[in-house]
Amino acid sequence: MKMKKLVLGIALAALAGLSSAQTNVKFNTSALEKADTQVVFINSLDALSGKAAELDNKTNGRLSTLLELNDFKPEKGNAMHFQLLAGFDTVLVVGVHDGDGLDAPELQDIGGVIAAQLSATTKNVNAQINIEALNTTVTGAGAFIASGYYLRNYSFDKYKTEKDEGISNLTIVTESADSASDMYNNDLVHVAKGVHMARDFATEPGKSLYPELFAKQIKQTFRGLDNIDIEVLDVKDMRKYNMGALMGVGKGSVHDPRLVVIEYMGGEKGEAPIALAGKGITFDTGGISIKGNTGMWAMKSDLSGAAAVAGTMYAIASRGEKVNVVGLMAMAENMPSQDAIRPGDVLETMKGTTIEIMSTDAEGRLVLSDAVYYAQQEYNPKLLLNIATLTGSAGRALSDEYAALITRSFDYSTEIMEVGARSGEHVWPLPLHPNHFEQIKSPIADIKNSGAGSPGASIGAAVIGTFVDEELPWIHLDIAGVDWLESDIDVAPKGSQGWGVRFMDQLVRDHSSK
Ligand code: BES
Ligand code: ZN
Ligand code: MN
């Protein structure tokens, strides 16, 4: 017992802390005399403006000559470094041209481009960014640039003997320095931290992040935040609620499942909350329906949905959003063993509906079925969202660009697509047809968990949908294709994206009573 405690302590200590790459941001109304790097934006080559124009004048047209010699195109995201110019070690030129003006996610993308460019050249960045040449109507544009930088400046190096201890010191020069600083420090940076947190959880190997530890880590991370209450249901509690689906998935593992419920009550007392439920499979081997080895290692990130819920709860609690939200994380490890559930077994859920197991690899819908039902019974939410790396099918349909969005009505889906567009995390609708519910009828139980063929993403949603009140606004997000990427994007290095934190944060903002 003592030994076990000690081991837990070590594992927890090792897990604590976000990415070791640091981003420090200051906002100033006037430019500093000295900075190693000066970042300038270029909207049009015909008429340099802002700091680019100033540097060009100061160097007797040298900057425009360099741009011409190097055939620089000012399209959004293009970047070039010029060394030893106008008294700076480096001038980083970034194209910001965009037909209809830059929106908030595009500003974050540009911040991400800057982070990628600067960290590729120096370990410690000391840069000044003048934002006057940006073609945007977004208030607090500098704050969005900074948050994009923060998002991109991430590295998971806890298992490397040589850490990435680079520090980025940024000064954003903007007329509205005070309000941009306020927006960054009291709002956007918390969202970016939530994203990093989600990436940390999704990247952590399964060996050191099983349900018990995941739950402990969540409790530790949220310590000290206002209006937060965390409850951890273990197997004993699950038995009380008859959560046979969640318990069934966890049965093959030596590590018991958990259901972690984070309540954040920052809104009106008694007002119905939003419920966010995430799939938290700490490792998905497939169970008895075991997966092939190719790519199985990436199933350490099969808890990305739950990780995104945690990151979102962290962000909204740190921001102090005036809203009530409950985050549920359905945690289990899907392992094959003599105790594991078998294909053909029948599980009884908390709702009472029975599920015949066609594939033990279709486990995400099982853990979520009990989680979403529990959320409705306990909290009577006004909106229910579930998020999961649920099906390869979603990834094949929509690739990297969109998470699959499934709701009960196309109109509602188009409304939710807008939330995605404003957050920078895009979703695209897939259907949910009465036939999909027909397809999951079982000959010996109420429903079956798969084996119904195509379309896989919709079938998965139909299983979960069976446990969601038809009158309740319901959003199903399948992030299997978007959370783990093989190459970098502007706001994230390759690997886990922490996908869903920005989306859910935006959704919650839209429901805030502020
Ligand atoms: N965790 C997987 C889905 C997944 C696949 C996530 C690829 C990320 C990348 C999920 O549990 C799963 O195994 N789904 C099966 C469902 C099938 C058995 C009905 C799938 O998609 O093949
Ligand atoms: Zn899975
Ligand atoms: Mn699976």
Side-chain angles (χ1 to χ4, degrees):
M1 191 60 209
K2 236 191 176 152
M3 185 62 196
K4 198 173 166 210
K5 272 230 165 96
L6 193 69
V7 172
L8 260 177
I10 291 167
L12 276 177
L15 239 164
L18 302 171
S19 153
S20 57
Q22 257 191 59
T23 306
N24 304 319
V25 190
K26 285 203 186 91
F27 294 82
N28 245 329
T29 45
S30 55
L32 303 175
E33 285 296 307
K34 243 353 270 145
D36 299 344
T37 302
Q38 173 69 53
V39 180
V40 300
F41 294 133
I42 301 208
N43 193 37
S44 151
L45 284 177
D46 301 333
L48 294 184
S49 60
K51 193 72 179 177
E54 188 192 313
L55 291 193
D56 200 39
N57 287 337
K58 210 168 142 191
T59 57
N60 298 321
R62 216 184 162 108
L63 179 60
S64 19
T65 308
L66 282 166
L67 291 170
E68 205 177 302
L69 279 175
N70 290 284
D71 198 22
F72 181 81
K73 302 263 184 310
E75 265 61 57
K76 184 178 66 196
N78 286 349
M80 242 174 224
H81 303 250
F82 299 121
Q83 267 82 25
L84 305 179
L85 187 68
F88 297 103
D89 292 354
T90 300
V91 172
L92 173 66
V93 171
V94 181
V96 293
H97 181 76
D98 179 66
D100 52 358
L102 300 161
D103 61 18
E106 286 170 331
L107 291 168
Q108 288 179 315
D109 286 347
I110 287 167
V113 168
I114 297 170
Q117 291 290 332
L118 296 187
S119 62
T121 48
T122 32
K123 186 166 159 236
N124 291 316
V125 172
N126 167 18
Q128 168 161 280
I129 306 173
N130 291 57
I131 71 156
E132 62 273 66
L134 288 175
N135 167 22
T136 184
T137 55
V138 172
T139 29
F144 283 100
I145 297 276
S147 92
Y149 191 108
Y150 192 110
L151 284 168
R152 177 61 187 264
N153 192 21
Y154 173 82
S155 79
F156 188 95
D157 58 11
K158 63 182 276 202
Y159 296 112
K160 288 193 185 250
T161 47
E162 251 177 72
K163 311 287 182 205
D164 167 12
E165 278 157 345
I167 298 180
S168 290
N169 290 314
L170 307 183
T171 304
I172 309 253
V173 184
T174 167
E175 274 170 21
S176 43
D178 284 348
S179 57
S181 167
D182 179 54
M183 188 170 194
Y184 177 76
N185 289 302
N186 296 320
D187 186 336
L188 300 182
V189 77
H190 299 302
V191 182
K193 282 183 181 169
V195 172
H196 281 198
M197 180 194 296
R199 290 178 191 165
D200 282 349
F201 285 131
T203 312
E204 188 64 43
K207 167 170 162 280
S208 37
L209 197 65
Y210 45 88
E212 181 189 10
L213 272 183
F214 194 5
K216 285 217 154 88
Q217 186 65 30
I218 293 289
K219 285 196 101 165
Q220 183 174 305
T221 312
F222 280 75
R223 201 165 288 154
L225 280 177
D226 287 344
N227 296 320
I228 284 281
D229 193 37
I230 300 182
E231 201 187 343
V232 178
L233 278 69
D234 61 14
V235 171
K236 228 172 82 208
D237 304 313
M238 290 174 201
R239 252 188 229 120
K240 220 170 63 200
Y241 289 108
N242 203 25
M243 296 177 169
L246 177 51
M247 284 190 293
V249 172
K251 219 170 149 278
S253 172
V254 292
H255 302 297
D256 284 343
R258 293 286 186 278
L259 179 63
V260 174
V261 185
I262 306 176
E263 282 178 23
Y264 170 70
M265 298 298 167
E268 302 286 322
K269 222 177 158 203
E271 185 173 324
I274 294 170
L276 308 171
K279 167 178 174 180
I281 300 299
T282 58
F283 196 83
D284 181 14
T285 64
I288 296 297
S289 315
I290 199 161
K291 290 179 181 296
N293 180 54
T294 310
M296 198 206 268
W297 63 271
M299 287 300 118
K300 67 178 183 173
S301 74
D302 210 22
L303 47 65
S304 294
V309 167
T312 307
M313 297 304 293
Y314 180 84
I316 58 187
S318 307
R319 297 197 287 108
E321 187 74 72
K322 300 212 175 341
V323 65
N324 297 334
V325 187
V326 233
L328 300 102
M329 282 163 271
M331 303 172 181
E333 186 180 45
N334 191 19
M335 281 289 190
S337 81
Q338 59 183 350
D339 291 329
I341 54 166
R342 311 152 190 78
D345 279 358
V346 175
L347 305 179
E348 194 181 321
T349 59
M350 178 181 174
K351 186 183 177 190
T353 303
T354 54
I355 309 181
E356 183 186 8
I357 304 304
M358 303 311 288
S359 167
T360 63
D361 198 11
E363 83 295 340
R365 57 201 75 183
L366 296 173
V367 300
L368 282 174
S369 291
D370 275 334
V372 298
Y373 192 74
Y374 179 83
Q376 293 166 91
Q377 292 303 105
E378 294 291 306
Y379 294 98
N380 197 15
K382 61 177 174 193
L383 166 70
L384 172 69
L385 175 151
N386 57 256
I387 178 166
T389 45
L390 207 71
T391 67
S393 162
R396 287 190 293 277
L398 299 171
S399 186
D400 295 356
E401 290 87 13
Y402 297 100
L405 163 69
I406 296 180
T407 75
R408 293 196 207 266
S409 102
F410 188 69
D411 283 348
Y412 190 46
S413 284
T414 48
E415 195 185 305
I416 299 305
M417 279 174 84
E418 282 301 311
V419 177
R422 278 183 284 123
S423 74
E425 293 186 319
H426 298 267
V427 298
W428 200 269
L430 292 179
L432 186 58
H433 192 274
N435 283 349
H436 304 147
F437 289 94
E438 280 302 310
Q439 285 188 63
I440 55 169
K441 284 193 171 153
S442 155
I444 68 160
D446 298 332
I447 62 168
K448 53 186 181 182
N449 77 332
S450 84
S454 299
S458 299
I459 298 293
V463 171
I464 299 169
T466 302
F467 298 85
V468 179
D469 184 342
E470 282 188 37
E471 301 304 312
L472 180 63
W474 171 52
I475 300 167
H476 169 97
L477 294 179
D478 191 335
I479 59 170
V482 289
D483 189 65
W484 194 277
L485 298 188
E486 293 307 324
S487 43
D488 303 343
I489 63 168
D490 290 345
V491 289
K494 69 179 184 176
S496 170
Q497 302 292 299
W499 202 103
V501 175
R502 291 202 286 161
F503 179 95
M504 289 187 278
D505 180 75
Q506 185 63 53
L507 183 77
V508 167
R509 278 175 205 270
D510 292 352
H511 285 83
S512 164
S513 61
K514 217 167 16 192

